[in-house]
C-alpha cells in the first residue's frame, strides 16, 4: 500500500520531533547525573555511572538516527564538508577543552588513495598547546580526535598519516543515497537559516556614453552573483546605479536646444548618442558662451524646471535603449536607480554628518575624514554642488535603512577600491551599520586587455563598443558551428539558438573563469576553442551527456522511476570519483558565497566534465551490438550518474548566466 506524500512527510516530521524531544530528555538526565547533589548515596555511584554510560550510548544512537532522517527526508543537497566540520568540531572540542576556538580544517583529499576528505587540525592545535607550555605530539592529538568522534552517518573509517593528518573515508551507501536524493528532488540548495536581503550594485554605465568592456565585466560578474544568491534562496535586489546626473547634462541639454530646437514637441532623431556627446563636449571646451549656457542649464535642471527635465529624460531614454540591447543579448535583469534617484537624500546625509560634528571646511569645500583613512571624502564642492562621494553615501544609507539590506555588494573595477573604502569607513563612523552584522563589500575586478597585453581598444585607439563586440562574437560563433558542419544537421532555428548560446556563453565564461581580481586577456580564438576550460568545450560536453539517454531510447519517466527504485552503485573507482565530485556542489557554492570569486564555479564545472569523461571512457553505460548497433544492455545506475552530472552542470550554467541547448 502506497501512502500519500503529504501523509509520509507529516509522519516523518512527527518522528523527528519525537526524537528531538527524547534527545532533550536524555541530555537533561545526563546533566542531572553529573551533579553530585543529586546522588543520594555513594553506594549507588557505580550503578549511576553505568546508567550514565548507557544513556550516552542511547543518546548518540538517537542523534545519529536523527541526523540520518534529516539528511534523507530533506530535499536539499547536503554540504558534506560542512557536516564533517560539525562532527570533527565536536571531537576537537572534546579532545582539547583547554583551547579556545581550536582550529577546524576539513577539506577534500587531493589524492584518492589517502581517502575522501582530510582533517588537518592536529598540527595547528599542537602549536597552540605549545604556546601554552604543553608539548604534545600532533599524532597524539589526532588519535584523541578520532577517539572522540561522535557516532555519525557518513564516516566509514579514519586513518592517521604523516605528522598528524586524519584521512577520512566516506560510506559508499551514504553517498549513493545522497545521489538518489538529488535525482528524485532535483538540484536543491542547502537549507537557509534565514532569508536575508541582498543588494547587488552592478553594470552602472553613464548616460550618453557607450557601454565599454569595463561595464561588460561588471554586468557579467554582477549578474552571476545575483543568480547565485537567488538560487540559494536570498531576497535579491539588482541595482543599476547609472550616471544620470551632473554637469555634463547641462552641456547635453544646451546642445539639444541648439540642434533640435523643437525637441519639446518632436522627438529628436538622435541615432548616435556617443557622437552627440562628443559634439557637445567639443563646444563646451571651445565656446565660452556655450559653456556659460551649459552651467545655466544645470541650475535649471537641478531646479527641476519642466522643459529641462524633459530634455534630460529624452537623453536618458536614448541611452536606455542602447543599454537594453546589450542586456537583452546577455539575458540581464536589472532595475535602474541612477544618481538622480538619490538627489533629495543627499541633503539629509550632509545635514546628519554636520550635526554629528564630522564635517570640516577646506577652501570652501565640506570634507569628512573617516577614521584610519589618509584622504577625505568631499561631500559638498566649493560651488555648493554634491559629488560622487555624497551620492554613494546617500545610496548606502537608503540601502541600509529603507531596503533593510543584510548584504550590500558593489561590483566595479578595482580602481574604485579606495573610494568605496572611504565610503564604508564613513558609514561605520556615523553608526549606520556594524560590519559584524551587515556585510558591505566592494567586489573589484581587473581590466580587460587585448591580445597585445595592453588595454582593450580598437585599432584606432577608441573604446570598443559593446554591441560591436557582441556582434563579432555572433559572427565567429556561426563560423565555428559551420566549421564543425553543424549547419548540416541542425534546423535554421536550432542553428541560431546554438549560435547565440555559444557566442554569449563564451564571452561570459571567458570573463567568469578568470579570477575577477586579475586583469584578463580578451581573445575570441581562445574562448571559442572547444578544448580545455572554455564554454565551448563545456557546452559540447553537456550536449553529449544529455544525448546518452536519448540514444539509448530511455525517456525521462523511465529515469525518474529508476531514481526512485534503483541504487546508484559506486563500485568502480571512476563511479566513486564521479559521485563524490557531483556532491561537492554545495561546498563550492558556500566558498563562493564567502569570497565572491566565481572562477571557483568554473573550475568545478570543468573538473566535473573531465571527471565524467574519465567515468564514461571506463564504464559502459549502454552496450550495443557491434554489427546491428542495437542496444543490448543498459547499466541503469550509470545512466543515473549521467543524469546527475547533467543536472549539476545545468545548474552551474544557470548560475553563470549561460544558456545550454539540447542540440549543438
Amino acid at each position: 500500500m502506497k501512502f500519500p506524500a503529504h501523509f509520509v512527510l507529516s509522519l516523518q516530521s512527527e518522528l523527528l520531533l519525537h526524537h528531538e524531544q527524547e534527545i532533550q530528555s536524555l541530555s537533561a538526565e545526563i546533566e542531572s547525573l553529573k551533579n553530585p547533589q543529586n546522588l543520594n548515596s555513594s553506594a549507588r555511584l557505580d550503578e549511576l555511572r553505568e546508567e550514565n554510560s548507557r544513556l550516552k550510548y542511547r543518546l548518540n544512537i538517537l542523534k545519529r538516527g536523527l541526523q540520518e532522517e534529516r539528511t534523507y527526508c530533506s530535499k536539499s543537497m547536503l554540504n558534506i564538508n560542512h557536516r564533517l566540520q560539525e562532527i570533527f568540531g565536536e571531537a576537537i572540542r572534546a579532545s582539547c577543552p583547554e583551547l579556545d576556538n581550536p582550529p577546524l580544517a576539513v577539506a577534500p583529499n587531493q589524492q584518492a588513495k589517502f581517502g575522501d576528505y582530510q582533517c588537518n587540525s592536529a598540527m595547528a592545535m599542537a602549536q597552540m598547546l605549545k604556546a601554552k607550555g604543553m608539548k604534545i605530539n600532533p599524532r597524539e592529538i589526532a588519535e584523541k580526535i578520532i577517539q572522540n568522534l561522535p557516532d555519525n552517518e557518513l564516516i566509514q573509517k579514519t586513518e592517521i598519516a604523516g605528522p598528524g593528518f586524519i584521512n577520512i573515508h566516506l560510506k559508499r551507501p551514504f553517498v549513493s543515497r545522497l545521489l538518489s536524493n538529488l535525482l528524485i528532488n532535483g538540484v536543491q540548495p542547502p537549507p537557509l537559516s534565514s532569508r536575508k536581503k541582498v543588494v547587488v550594485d552592478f553594470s552602472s554605465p553613464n548616460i550618453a556614453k557607450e557601454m565599454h568592456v569595463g561595464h561588460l565585466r561588471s554586468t557579467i560578474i554582477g549578474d552571476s552573483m545575483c543568480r547565485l544568491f537567488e538560487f540559494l534562496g536570498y531576497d535579491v535586489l539588482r541595482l543599476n546605479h547609472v550616471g544620470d546626473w551632473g554637469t555634463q547634462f547641462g552641456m547635453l541639454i544646451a546642445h539639444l536646444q541648439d540642434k533640435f530646437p523643437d525637441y519639446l514637441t518632436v522627438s529628436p532623431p538622435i541615432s548616435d548618442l556617443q557622437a552627440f556627446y562628443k559634439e557637445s563636449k567639443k563646444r563646451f571646451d571651445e565656446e565660452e558662451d556655450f559653456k556659460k549656457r551649459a552651467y545655466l542649464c544645470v541650475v535649471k535642471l537641478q531646479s527641476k524646471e519642466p522643459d529641462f527635465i524633459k530634455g534630460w529624460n529624452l537623453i536618458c531614454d536614448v541611452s536606455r535603449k542602447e543599454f537594453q540591447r546589450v542586456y537583452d543579448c546577455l539575458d540581464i535583469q536589472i532595475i535602474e536607480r541612477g544618481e538622480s534617484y538619490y538627489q533629495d537624500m543627499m541633503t539629509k546625509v550632509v545635514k546628519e554628518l554636520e550635526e554629528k560634528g564630522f564635517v570640516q571646511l577646506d577652501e570652501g569645500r565640506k570634507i569628512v575624514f573617516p577614521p584610519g583613512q589618509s584622504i577625505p571624502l568631499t561631500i559638498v564642492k566649493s560651488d555648493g554642488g554634491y559629488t560622487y562621494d555624497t551620492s554613494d553615501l546617500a545610496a548606502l544609507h537608503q540601502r541600509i535603512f529603507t531596503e533593510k539590506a543584510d548584504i550590500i555588494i558593489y561590483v566595479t573595477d578595482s580602481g574604485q577600491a579606495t573610494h568605496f573604502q572611504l565610503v564604508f569607513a564613513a558609514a561605520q563612523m556615523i553608526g549606520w551599520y556594524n560590519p559584524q552584522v551587515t556585510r558591505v563589500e566592494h567586489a573589484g575586478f581587473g581590466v580587460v586587455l587585448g591580445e597585445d597585453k595592453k588595454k582593450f581598444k580598437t585599432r584606432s585607439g577608441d573604446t570598443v563598443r559593446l554591441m560591436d563586440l557582441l556582434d563579432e562574437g555572433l559572427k565567429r560563433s556561426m563560423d565555428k558551428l559551420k566549421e564543425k558542419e553543424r549547419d548540416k544537421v541542425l534546423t535554421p532555428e536550432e542553428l541560431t539558438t546554438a549560435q547565440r548560446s555559444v557566442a554569449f556563453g563564451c564571452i561570459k565564461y571567458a570573463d567568469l573563469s578568470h579570477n575577477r581580481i586579475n586583469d584578463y586577456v580578451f581573445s575570441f580564438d581562445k574562448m571559442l576553442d572547444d578544448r580545455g576550460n572554455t564554454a565551448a568545450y563545456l557546452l559540447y560536453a553537456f550536449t553529449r551527456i544529455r544525448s546518452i539517454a536519448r540514444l539509448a531510447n530511455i525517456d525521462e519517466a523511465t529515469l525518474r522511476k529508476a531514481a526512485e527504485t534503483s541504487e546508484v552503485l559506486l563500485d568502480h573507482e571512476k563511479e566513486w570519483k564521479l559521485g563524490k565530485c557531483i556532491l561537492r556542489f554545495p561546498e563550492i557554492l558556500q566558498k563562493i558565497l564567502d569570497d565572491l570569486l566565481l572562477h571557483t564555479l568554473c573550475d568545478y564545472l570543468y573538473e566535473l566534465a573531465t571527471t565524467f569523461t574519465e567515468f564514461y571512457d571506463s564504464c559502459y553505460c549502454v552496450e550495443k551490438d557491434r554489427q546491428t548497433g542495437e542496444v543490448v544492455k543498459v547499466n541503469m545506475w550509470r545512466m543515473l550518474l549521467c543524469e546527475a552530472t547533467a543536472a549539476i552542470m545545468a545548474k552551474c550554467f544557470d548560475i553563470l548566466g549561460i544558456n545550454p541547448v539540447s542540440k549543438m
Side-chain angles (χ1 to χ4, degrees):
M1 180 178 177
K2 190 172 182 180
F3 294 102
H6 66 86
F7 176 80
V8 174
L9 284 172
S10 174
L11 188 62
Q12 287 171 340
S13 298
E14 285 183 25
L15 281 169
L16 289 173
L17 183 63
H18 173 72
H19 283 171
E20 281 181 333
Q21 288 171 345
E22 195 168 352
I23 284 171
Q24 288 173 359
S25 172
L26 288 172
S27 298
E29 196 170 341
I30 288 168
E31 288 303 311
S32 172
L33 290 172
K34 288 178 182 177
N35 188 346
Q37 293 178 352
N38 294 333
L39 303 179
N40 296 328
S41 67
S42 57
R44 289 193 60 221
L45 188 56
D46 290 339
E47 182 186 335
L48 288 170
R49 279 178 178 156
E50 282 183 27
E51 177 66 14
N52 190 16
S53 297
R54 284 196 295 271
L55 286 171
K56 280 185 176 178
Y57 175 77
R58 192 172 157 211
L59 181 62
N60 283 333
I61 293 291
L62 273 170
K63 281 182 176 178
R64 185 174 64 186
L66 184 62
Q67 182 59 45
E68 285 183 358
E69 286 182 47
R70 280 190 174 135
T71 298
Y72 302 123
C73 291
S74 171
K75 290 185 177 181
S76 301
M77 288 188 73
L78 177 73
N79 185 330
I80 295 175
N81 194 315
H82 184 259
R83 177 69 187 121
L84 286 170
Q85 286 182 22
E86 288 178 345
I87 292 165
F88 274 85
E90 188 177 332
I92 285 167
R93 287 188 294 274
S95 302
C96 291
E98 62 271 37
L99 289 180
D100 295 324
N101 297 316
L104 177 59
V106 178
N109 221 324
Q110 298 303 310
Q111 296 186 58
K113 64 181 179 180
F114 295 128
D116 306 311
Y117 284 79
Q118 192 173 76
C119 175
N120 301 334
S121 299
M123 286 74 74
M125 290 168 68
Q127 290 296 319
M128 290 176 73
L129 289 167
K130 186 178 179 181
K132 287 177 170 283
M134 294 177 275
K135 192 172 181 181
I136 303 178
N137 188 304
R139 284 185 69 95
E140 291 179 40
I141 298 172
E143 285 169 5
K144 287 177 70 178
I145 292 171
I146 289 173
Q147 288 166 8
N148 282 289
L149 283 173
D151 287 339
N152 62 83
E153 73 285 9
L154 73 165
I155 298 175
Q156 179 68 41
K157 65 174 181 176
T158 54
E159 300 162 335
I160 299 171
F165 301 114
I166 302 174
N167 290 324
I168 305 159
H169 297 260
L170 299 178
K171 292 178 179 175
R172 297 201 178 204
F174 171 80
V175 172
S176 177
R177 288 175 70 179
L178 289 182
L179 288 167
S180 295
N181 184 58
L182 162 64
L183 288 158
I184 293 166
N185 298 307
V187 184
Q188 302 292 335
L192 267 186
S193 55
S194 62
R195 191 166 188 252
K196 293 182 177 180
K197 177 75 174 280
V198 183
V199 172
V200 184
D201 178 327
F202 69 104
S203 194
S204 309
N206 290 311
I207 295 291
K209 293 183 181 179
E210 292 281 0
M211 288 180 77
H212 55 71
V213 287
H215 297 126
L216 179 67
R217 289 212 78 185
S218 177
T219 304
I220 290 170
I221 295 167
D223 176 60
S224 189
M225 284 182 187
C226 291
R227 288 169 178 269
L228 172 66
F229 281 111
E230 286 159 354
F231 170 65
L232 292 172
Y234 291 85
D235 177 14
V236 180
L237 177 60
R238 300 153 157 260
L239 288 185
N240 199 2
H241 189 86
V242 298
D244 67 349
W245 203 252
T247 308
Q248 74 272 25
F249 284 94
M251 175 183 83
L252 290 163
I253 292 169
H255 189 52
L256 181 72
Q257 290 171 335
D258 292 346
K259 195 163 184 177
F260 304 102
D262 57 350
Y263 77 91
L264 291 172
T265 53
V266 180
S267 185
I270 305 173
S271 58
D272 190 341
L273 196 56
Q274 183 77 354
F276 185 85
Y277 180 89
K278 286 179 178 177
E279 289 168 13
S280 63
K281 182 72 168 73
K282 188 172 186 296
R283 292 185 67 191
F284 186 83
D285 292 339
E286 296 175 2
E287 301 173 25
E288 195 59 37
D289 287 346
F290 180 82
K291 191 173 190 174
K292 287 178 182 176
R293 193 153 57 86
Y295 279 125
L296 186 61
C297 287
V298 173
V299 174
K300 295 193 174 191
L301 176 63
Q302 290 176 340
S303 301
K304 298 186 179 176
E305 291 191 22
D307 290 359
F308 292 85
I309 289 290
K310 179 159 187 181
W312 173 71
N313 276 323
L314 284 168
I315 293 163
C316 289
D317 286 343
V318 174
S319 262
R320 285 191 191 103
K321 286 175 185 173
E322 286 301 305
F323 299 160
Q324 197 57 47
R325 287 178 66 201
V326 173
Y327 296 146
D328 288 345
C329 284
L330 299 174
D331 189 24
I332 305 295
Q333 305 295 321
I334 194 166
I335 294 169
E336 183 184 307
R337 280 193 193 162
E339 291 172 9
S340 60
Y341 182 86
Y342 304 99
Q343 287 305 299
D344 295 340
M345 305 174 198
M346 294 190 206
T347 307
K348 294 176 183 175
V349 166
V350 172
K351 186 180 178 184
E352 182 178 348
L353 284 162
E354 287 178 327
E355 287 175 349
K356 291 186 175 177
F358 293 125
V359 176
Q360 300 176 32
L361 289 175
D362 179 61
E363 297 180 352
R365 299 180 304 153
K366 291 183 179 179
I367 63 172
V368 172
F369 266 105
Q373 306 300 317
S374 57
I375 55 174
L377 287 165
T378 299
I379 58 167
V380 181
K381 295 187 289 186
S382 56
D383 63 3
Y386 295 134
T387 68
Y388 288 126
D389 295 347
T390 335
S391 171
D392 279 329
L393 278 168
L396 182 54
H397 184 277
Q398 193 273 343
R399 292 163 188 181
I400 292 169
F401 293 102
T402 305
E403 299 299 341
K404 302 192 183 310
D406 302 289
I407 302 171
I408 304 169
I409 297 165
Y410 294 79
V411 186
T412 75
D413 65 90
S414 296
Q416 297 187 51
T418 301
H419 164 71
F420 283 111
Q421 189 178 322
L422 285 165
V423 171
F424 300 162
Q428 290 174 50
M429 174 185 74
I430 307 165
W432 288 352
Y433 78 96
N434 177 351
Q436 301 300 316
V437 178
T438 307
R439 180 180 179 182
V440 181
E441 189 169 339
H442 174 231
F445 54 80
V447 299
V448 181
L449 305 174
E451 293 190 67
D452 58 359
K453 305 291 175 71
K454 294 178 181 176
K455 225 171 181 181
F456 192 54
K457 292 184 181 294
T458 63
R459 287 179 181 173
S460 61
D462 293 332
T463 301
V464 178
R465 285 167 49 103
L466 275 200
M467 278 314 302
D468 291 346
L469 185 142
L470 296 175
D471 288 342
E472 178 69 13
L474 285 169
K475 177 185 172 298
R476 293 195 184 216
S477 170
M478 181 59 79
D479 291 344
K480 189 77 175 177
L481 288 164
K482 286 181 177 178
E483 180 189 311
K484 295 174 79 71
E485 299 187 336
R486 304 312 295 161
D487 54 323
K488 295 179 181 178
V489 295
L490 299 176
T491 66
E493 292 78 14
E494 288 170 344
L495 187 64
T496 300
T497 302
Q499 175 197 20
R500 294 178 67 84
S501 176
V502 171
F504 303 143
C506 286
I507 288 170
K508 287 184 177 184
Y509 194 84
D511 194 317
L512 294 168
S513 61
H514 289 83
N515 187 323
R516 65 170 163 79
I517 296 167
N518 302 330
D519 300 342
Y520 95 94
V521 175
F522 189 97
S523 166
F524 274 120
D525 289 339
K526 286 182 181 176
M527 66 177 67
L528 288 166
D529 194 340
D530 54 11
R531 296 162 299 177
N533 189 7
T534 66
Y537 165 75
L538 291 164
L539 286 167
Y540 286 123
F542 177 76
T543 304
R544 193 176 81 251
I545 296 168
R546 276 283 187 232
S547 71
I548 294 168
R550 189 168 62 246
L551 294 172
N553 299 317
I554 299 173
D555 59 20
E556 196 173 320
T558 304
L559 282 170
R560 171 163 282 279
K561 187 175 180 182
E564 292 171 350
T565 57
S566 306
E567 182 184 0
V568 182
L569 300 178
L570 302 167
D571 296 334
H572 193 286
E573 62 169 323
K574 298 301 181 184
E575 294 171 338
W576 179 237
K577 184 178 179 181
L578 179 60
K580 289 186 297 175
C581 189
I582 290 167
L583 294 176
R584 277 188 30 237
F585 181 60
E587 300 171 24
I588 299 299
L589 298 189
Q590 183 58 55
K591 185 179 185 308
I592 302 166
L593 200 61
D594 294 339
D595 61 23
L596 302 177
L597 295 173
L598 288 151
H599 71 278
T600 305
L601 185 60
C602 298
D603 291 344
Y604 168 73
L605 183 54
Y606 180 60
E607 181 190 348
L608 182 59
T610 52
T611 303
F612 177 84
T613 300
E614 287 179 26
F615 153 78
Y616 195 66
D617 289 345
S618 303
C619 304
Y620 285 109
C621 298
V622 180
E623 296 180 36
K624 294 184 178 182
D625 186 288
R626 291 185 179 180
Q627 293 181 332
T628 65
E630 289 184 13
V631 175
V632 294
K633 183 181 179 184
V634 174
N635 293 307
M636 192 55 77
W637 75 90
R638 289 177 179 168
M639 294 301 301
L640 291 174
L641 277 171
C642 295
E643 185 66 15
T645 303
I648 294 292
M649 287 186 76
K651 181 51 66 179
C652 289
F653 283 133
D654 185 51
I655 292 170
L656 296 170
I658 295 171
N659 179 31
V661 291
S662 57
K663 291 184 180 180
M664 193 178 263

